[in-house]
Amino acid sequence: MGRSRKRRLGSAILLTFLCISTIFAISRTALAESNHFGDSGSDISIVTNGKKVDLPLPPLVVGDRILIPLRAVSETIGADATWDEETRTIHVEQGTTTTFLLWPDLNCMKVNDALKPMEVPPRIIDGRTYVSLRFLSEALGDEVTWDSADRTAKITVSGKIPAVSPSQKTSLEWSIFGINVGDKEAHIREKLGEPSRIDPGEYGYDWWIYNADPLRLVMVGVGKGTVKTIFTTAKEALVGGISIGDNLKTLKRRYPLTEKVQVDIPEGTVEYELTDEDRQTRPLWLQDGVAAIFYIDKHLDSRISGIRLLDVNQLWVEPHYSYHARLRRSISSLPEPFLQAKKAQPILQAYERQILDLTNGVRKTMGQHTLVWSEGAARVIGSHNRDMIENRYFGHVSPSKGTLGDRLQSAGVDYELAGENLAMGQADAIEAIFGWLTSEGHRENLLNDKFREIGVGVDLGKDEEGNIVRYYGQNFLVK
């Protein structure tokens, strides 16, 4: 075993040495060529997510390859590029999960800890770094297409959140990554690019999911072409001068949180009462027609772990989602829940996917690895949800199918260690996740560093009073 480890290490050292040797072998030639390299592509345009990129210098055409200024384009695709003069190394970071090291005129790059070939090496021309469009598609995973008629390279970035600008880091605006409640779809695409997917929703909007980097998870609720709500767990987000990771005391110093919050909507006035638990785990603040819910992790120095902005009218549309509502003046009754059994399945499946995203977002923020989907575990928790609904109970032990271990064994799902979280009544996946996070036992499952797989089930049933509610469940596994 010891010999095998040494052999693998030796190979890595040898490969690194060969790349460095190549740099020294070609550096003199590169200097000689730096005055003129390739033809100017002054008629070539670069468009990222439908928006033309302003380039300080035109692209270069080398044979059938197009090289573009890295820094100018990197900022539009959620990457950060820097140059280290001492080591002559180009550092490219995308989000928080991937780091690239590139060297001028060298046809290999280092991706995290692995060396990989590059078809066209980077070039330093007049003090600027140029990379090929192929690097964007093959290394960064962005979609790059070439329109020969218009001489335009079109870059599509999906699911990635762009780097935060210095002005955003000090902004007091009630926005998340430059997105405000009420913004149009075109503005979302301009700021965030294309989502990883769009999930159906039940409250008058669909969810645009940006989950390419779990540490920068963003969910935007879009209804009738307009932002109705936006949520994030990203530490870089700044909302009204408050960031993920700030504690409850910091929030209270900036905003005088109260027990009762009144909201004027077209139908009249609603007064929301916050319980002691609400004020400790999800305080509410209203400003300029926008409601902000701050999700507090009371087990981690009462730090903010998620922030959600929503149109104040959505508090009324989602009465079970928000807080205890007291009816005032002209309002006669609470609205009925949107979700009915006949149209529920696509939305419930969307909640399952979102719970996976939210789980991995929370875990990565806490320094844990992400979990992968287990179809077997998903079938087991889905079956348990339906068993609870049909037999009118709520708990981990089924009267007919036994414990979690019994259910996994009956389904033929192998495991060494397993855990289960259940929830009932929460209005959506966000509420379910943060309900679990504030409960010590559920939190232990959610953040357990031993678990590697997860299955999620969300179903629709009735509570003890006959109200239609959602049943949520997670099964965690180590095999």
Side-chain angles (χ1 to χ4, degrees):
M1 179 65 72
R3 181 173 299 173
S4 175
R5 287 180 179 173
K6 287 184 178 179
R7 187 172 298 160
R8 288 196 293 269
L9 180 60
S11 298
I13 291 174
L14 176 61
L15 185 54
T16 303
F17 176 76
L18 288 174
C19 286
I20 293 173
S21 297
T22 307
I23 293 176
F24 288 117
I26 66 174
S27 61
R28 184 171 300 173
T29 304
L31 287 172
E33 293 177 347
S34 64
N35 290 329
H36 177 74
F37 177 80
D39 298 319
S40 172
S42 57
D43 61 337
I44 294 176
S45 298
I46 307 296
V47 174
T48 302
N49 290 335
K51 184 178 181 181
K52 185 176 180 179
V53 180
D54 292 326
L55 299 175
L57 290 173
L60 296 174
V61 179
V62 183
D64 61 349
R65 294 287 184 260
I66 298 173
L67 275 66
I68 57 176
L70 175 60
R71 183 181 294 277
V73 177
S74 65
E75 294 175 356
T76 70
I77 61 174
D80 183 35
T82 58
W83 165 253
D84 188 328
E85 178 64 35
E86 183 177 351
T87 61
R88 292 188 56 78
T89 303
I90 305 158
H91 295 256
V92 182
E93 293 186 0
Q94 187 174 48
T96 55
T97 58
T98 308
T99 300
F100 301 89
L101 297 181
L102 302 90
W103 298 272
D105 307 305
L106 178 62
N107 59 355
C108 70
M109 61 180 169
K110 191 173 184 180
V111 183
N112 293 333
D113 293 324
L115 284 166
K116 296 185 177 181
M118 292 184 72
E119 183 174 327
V120 180
R123 299 282 181 169
I124 305 294
I125 311 294
D126 296 328
R128 297 183 185 275
T129 302
Y130 284 77
V131 296
S132 69
L133 281 172
R134 187 177 292 274
F135 168 75
L136 298 181
S137 60
E138 292 185 348
L140 300 184
D142 301 318
E143 180 184 342
V144 180
T145 58
W146 171 250
D147 188 330
S148 58
D150 294 338
R151 301 279 287 172
T152 300
K154 299 177 180 179
I155 305 169
T156 302
V157 183
S158 299
K160 303 171 187 173
I161 303 303
V164 177
S165 67
S167 61
Q168 287 177 315
K169 292 179 180 179
T170 58
S171 173
L172 296 179
E173 289 185 2
W174 284 84
S175 64
I176 294 177
F177 289 108
I179 303 299
N180 297 270
V181 171
D183 283 343
K184 301 299 183 182
E185 288 186 11
H187 184 72
I188 306 172
R189 289 190 166 94
E190 177 184 336
K191 290 291 185 180
L192 305 184
E194 292 296 326
S196 299
R197 66 173 192 272
I198 297 179
D199 288 343
E202 63 173 301
Y203 296 115
Y205 54 80
D206 293 333
W207 282 109
W208 291 27
I209 308 297
Y210 294 84
N211 64 356
D213 182 352
L215 276 174
R216 308 176 86 201
L217 175 66
V218 176
M219 300 167 58
V220 185
V222 182
K224 296 181 179 179
T226 301
V227 175
K228 301 296 184 182
T229 182
I230 178 170
F231 167 85
T232 188
T233 56
K235 288 186 176 180
E236 297 167 79
L238 188 69
V239 179
I242 297 295
S243 300
I244 303 291
D246 287 345
N247 61 30
L248 184 56
K249 290 181 180 178
T250 300
L251 178 63
K252 288 180 176 179
R253 282 196 297 267
R254 183 173 289 275
Y255 299 105
L257 303 174
T258 59
E259 179 181 346
K260 297 180 181 180
V261 178
Q262 284 195 1
V263 180
D264 291 322
I265 61 175
E267 294 84 355
T269 301
V270 185
E271 182 178 80
Y272 295 97
E273 287 189 8
L274 278 66
T275 65
D276 289 340
E277 181 70 10
D278 287 335
R279 295 196 298 276
Q280 295 301 314
T281 61
R282 55 183 199 129
L284 173 67
W285 179 257
L286 267 63
Q287 182 167 311
D288 300 328
V290 176
I293 300 174
F294 298 91
Y295 292 93
I296 309 296
D297 187 345
K298 65 181 183 181
H299 299 288
L300 189 64
D301 193 28
S302 292
R303 295 191 178 277
I304 298 171
S305 54
I307 301 176
R308 178 169 182 172
L309 301 179
L310 64 162
D311 187 316
V312 292
N313 293 305
Q314 293 298 141
L315 283 173
W316 178 242
V317 170
E318 306 169 57
H320 300 293
Y321 173 83
S322 41
Y323 308 89
H324 175 67
R326 296 182 62 188
L327 311 181
R328 312 279 292 191
R329 294 209 297 264
S330 62
I331 299 177
S332 59
S333 63
L334 286 169
E336 292 296 321
F338 283 117
L339 194 56
Q340 304 295 329
K342 61 182 179 181
K343 62 177 182 180
Q345 201 56 40
I347 295 173
L348 298 176
Q349 290 172 348
Y351 284 152
E352 293 171 354
R353 293 190 294 268
Q354 291 165 24
I355 286 177
L356 173 63
D357 294 332
L358 289 159
T359 298
N360 282 333
V362 168
R363 286 177 64 91
K364 286 293 287 186
T365 300
M366 301 290 184
Q368 296 291 355
H369 57 266
T370 57
L371 304 178
V372 298
W373 183 264
S374 166
E375 193 59 40
R379 287 197 302 270
V380 170
I381 188 61
S383 176
H384 186 59
N385 279 347
R386 291 185 289 275
D387 185 49
M388 290 189 293
I389 293 167
E390 292 169 4
N391 294 290
R392 298 295 183 91
Y393 75 95
F394 183 76
H396 296 284
V397 181
S398 166
S400 59
K401 299 181 181 180
T403 65
L404 171 60
D406 296 331
R407 289 182 270 123
L408 289 170
Q409 185 176 3
S410 296
V413 178
D414 296 329
Y415 71 97
E416 291 185 3
L417 181 68
E420 182 172 81
N421 283 345
L422 301 176
M424 178 183 69
Q426 290 78 6
D428 61 17
I430 297 171
E431 282 287 285
I433 282 289
F434 286 95
W436 285 325
L437 193 63
T438 58
S439 169
E440 193 166 354
H442 298 95
R443 175 192 180 85
E444 184 177 345
N445 280 339
L446 199 65
L447 302 178
N448 194 313
D449 63 355
K450 295 183 175 63
F451 292 135
R452 292 293 184 273
E453 300 181 19
I454 184 175
V456 181
V458 182
D459 288 270
L460 197 65
K462 293 185 177 180
D463 61 14
E464 295 177 351
E465 298 178 356
N467 300 312
I468 297 175
V469 295
R470 299 141 202 80
Y471 284 71
Y472 304 88
Q474 295 174 301
N475 277 354
F476 303 90
L477 299 177
V478 178
K479 290 185 178 179

